[in-house]
């Protein structure tokens, strides 16, 4: 009886050498040399690179908060409570249906004033006691408004990633853990999540890379990220080609570097699963 041929992924085929990566690396090195040796490009790089810290900070904080919020809504969506499931589904469908740029404006100019009013109302007794002053909308910086928008926008997509990953775990293992007397939290922490993370990690990594790119949207609020610094320099010097070429180059280094790193982690998890 003939055995079915085992499918091999394209990266394991001998003829599929990553020439694209070699070409991309050569281009990156050539551009780095130009930036280092050309006075104009070096000046532009120094000006726009001041926004890298804000880009990285907004991405890391926004993604961490989005992951925590997404996990909460994923667990709500898998809850035995009909009310919690409906709330989670309502949140996910509504947020996923709003463009990120519109959500950014809405949170910045509608959500932030509402949040400031809520905090001011809650802390009114402390204000009357002289412990703290009045909380106003301007106390919420534009950067944190942008972070909140990214958190809310991506949490809906991440919730679906977590939900799919958790549902991929064999139900028999969950029942076996329940038979052993493990509590729901212990079943999730010791049985479900360690297996689900292998399914969750690749799409979660893709969302992280996507947030690095979408963090450029915060420039519309005047947040001094990488894109905003490039916009300021280009509008003042009229060096649009040079400036945005460097901005694109930096984003490519960040995103492709992250993609390659996440791909290596995914391969290690796959090997660990095959053992």
């Amino acid at each position: 009886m003939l055995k079915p041929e085992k499918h091999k992924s394209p990266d394991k085929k001998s003829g599929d050498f990553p020439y694209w990566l070699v070409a991309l690396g050569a281009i990156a090195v050539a551009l780095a040399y130009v930036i280092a040796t050309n006075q104009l490009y070096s000046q532009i790089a120094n000006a726009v690179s001041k926004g890298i810290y804000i880009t990285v900070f907004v991405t890391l904080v926004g993604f961490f908060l989005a992951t925590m919020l997404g996990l909460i809504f994923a667990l709500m969506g898998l809850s035995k409570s009909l009310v919690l499931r409906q709330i989670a589904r309502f949140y996910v469908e509504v947020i996923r249906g709003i463009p990120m740029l519109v959500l950014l404006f809405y949170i910045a100019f509608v959500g932030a004033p509402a949040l400031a009013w809520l905090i001011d109302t809650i802390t009114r007794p402390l204000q009357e006691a002289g412990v703290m002053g009045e909380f106003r909308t301007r106390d919420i910086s534009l950067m944190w408004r942008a972070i909140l928008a990214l958190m809310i926008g991506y949490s809906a997509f991440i919730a679906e990633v977590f939900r799919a990953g958790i549902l991929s775990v064999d139900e028999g293992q969950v029942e076996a853990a329940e038979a052993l007397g493990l509590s729901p939290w212990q079943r999730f922490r010791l049985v479900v999540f360690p297996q689900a993370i292998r399914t969750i990690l690749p799409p979660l990594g893709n969302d992280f890379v996507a947030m690095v790119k979408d963090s450029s949207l915060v420039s519309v609020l005047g947040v001094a990220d990488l894109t905003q610094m490039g916009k300021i320099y280009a509008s003042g010097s009229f060096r649009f080609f040079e400036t945005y070429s460097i901005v694109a180059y930096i984003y490519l280094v960040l995103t492709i570097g992250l993609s390659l790193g996440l791909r290596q982690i995914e391969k290690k998890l796959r090997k660990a699963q095959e053992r």
Side-chain angles (χ1 to χ4, degrees), residues 5-275:
E5 185 179 354
K6 190 176 180 181
H7 176 71
K8 293 183 180 180
S9 59
D11 58 347
K12 291 182 179 180
K13 294 179 180 179
S14 59
D16 198 12
F17 183 81
Y19 294 106
W20 67 270
L21 185 58
V22 175
L24 198 60
I27 294 172
V29 171
L31 289 175
Y33 176 78
V34 171
I35 293 172
T37 56
N38 186 285
Q39 185 176 0
L40 174 61
Y41 279 92
S42 180
Q43 182 180 356
I44 296 173
N46 290 332
V48 302
S49 62
K50 295 177 182 177
I52 294 178
Y53 169 77
I54 297 297
T55 294
V56 173
F57 180 81
V58 167
T59 302
L60 291 178
V61 176
F63 190 77
F64 173 78
L65 295 175
T67 301
M68 296 298 103
L69 187 60
L71 179 59
I72 291 172
F73 277 103
L75 294 177
M76 288 174 60
L78 297 171
S79 172
K80 295 179 180 179
S81 170
L82 176 62
V83 175
L84 291 180
R85 292 200 306 272
Q86 292 300 314
I87 291 174
R89 178 51 52 189
F90 178 83
Y91 175 86
V92 169
E93 295 300 332
V94 169
I95 297 301
R96 289 200 306 173
I98 302 175
M100 187 61 68
L101 185 59
V102 176
L103 185 63
L104 189 69
F105 284 131
Y106 191 87
I107 296 300
F109 301 115
V110 179
L115 179 61
W117 173 84
L118 179 62
I119 295 174
D120 186 65
T121 302
I122 294 174
T123 59
R124 189 61 56 81
L126 297 176
Q127 297 175 23
E128 294 175 353
V131 177
M132 63 178 293
E134 182 181 0
F135 193 89
R136 301 179 180 179
T137 304
R138 64 171 177 261
D139 293 325
I140 306 176
S141 68
L142 290 173
M143 183 182 70
W144 279 103
R145 298 183 201 188
I147 290 174
L148 288 174
L150 290 173
M151 174 195 75
I152 293 172
Y154 270 83
S155 64
F157 295 94
I158 292 175
E160 289 297 277
V161 171
F162 275 116
R163 187 177 69 86
I166 293 171
L167 289 176
S168 68
V169 178
D170 185 17
E171 189 176 350
Q173 299 194 35
V174 179
E175 294 175 352
E178 186 176 1
L180 291 173
L182 297 179
S183 66
W185 167 245
Q186 288 176 323
R187 292 199 299 269
F188 176 76
R189 182 172 60 89
L190 300 176
V191 178
V192 177
F193 192 74
Q195 298 181 65
I197 192 63
R198 297 168 184 169
T199 305
I200 291 170
L201 189 61
L204 195 64
N206 291 336
D207 284 339
F208 182 61
V209 174
M211 186 178 280
V212 174
K213 295 184 290 183
D214 280 348
S215 67
S216 62
L217 294 174
V218 306
S219 62
V220 301
L221 298 180
V223 178
D225 72 322
L226 180 60
T227 302
Q228 178 68 5
M229 297 305 294
K231 187 189 303 181
I232 292 173
Y233 188 91
S235 61
S237 64
F238 297 98
R239 294 284 186 175
F240 294 100
F241 173 77
E242 295 87 348
T243 302
Y244 287 115
S245 294
I246 292 179
V247 170
Y249 170 74
I250 295 174
Y251 273 116
L252 279 172
V253 170
L254 291 174
T255 55
I256 293 177
L258 284 171
S259 297
L260 293 175
L262 291 169
R263 192 173 300 175
Q264 291 301 316
I265 295 175
E266 183 182 348
K267 286 182 179 179
K268 289 182 180 180
L269 287 176
R270 192 185 303 118
K271 289 180 180 179
Q273 188 176 7
E274 292 175 353
R275 291 175 182 175

